[in-house]
Amino acid sequence: MKYTLVIKQGQDGFLIGQLKELPAVFSQGLTVSELKENIADVLDLYLEDMREKYVPQGVILEEKEIVFA
């Protein structure tokens, strides 16, 4: 899955990044590289939290892990 990282200039030399498709995923860094690493970490935590909170509705016919390129 692809995400759009929106980067803004923050205070004290920090860059602020937020995923356009998932606004709850945001972080900061001193360089674009550091910001990308931090966003990836936050995205992992966000998705893990969403998986833990997920409660399926109805009858589950199949559960299968797939990987999106």
Side-chain angles (χ1 to χ4, degrees):
M1 183 170 275
K2 292 183 182 181
Y3 297 101
T4 307
L5 176 58
V6 177
I7 301 174
K8 297 179 182 180
Q9 183 66 52
Q11 296 179 356
D12 300 325
F14 281 92
L15 300 172
I16 310 298
Q18 184 175 27
L19 294 183
K20 188 174 184 178
E21 295 81 5
L22 297 170
V25 177
F26 59 92
S27 190
Q28 65 182 14
L30 289 172
T31 65
V32 172
S33 178
E34 180 183 21
L35 175 58
K36 286 180 179 180
E37 288 179 28
N38 293 344
I39 283 288
D41 290 342
V42 173
L43 178 59
D44 285 343
L45 291 171
Y46 175 83
L47 294 175
E48 181 180 321
D49 188 52
M50 290 295 103
R51 283 189 290 271
E52 288 175 3
K53 291 179 180 178
Y54 176 70
V55 179
Q57 301 294 317
V59 178
I60 297 174
L61 300 177
E62 181 180 357
E63 185 171 326
K64 186 176 183 179
E65 185 174 313
I66 59 172
V67 177
F68 292 95

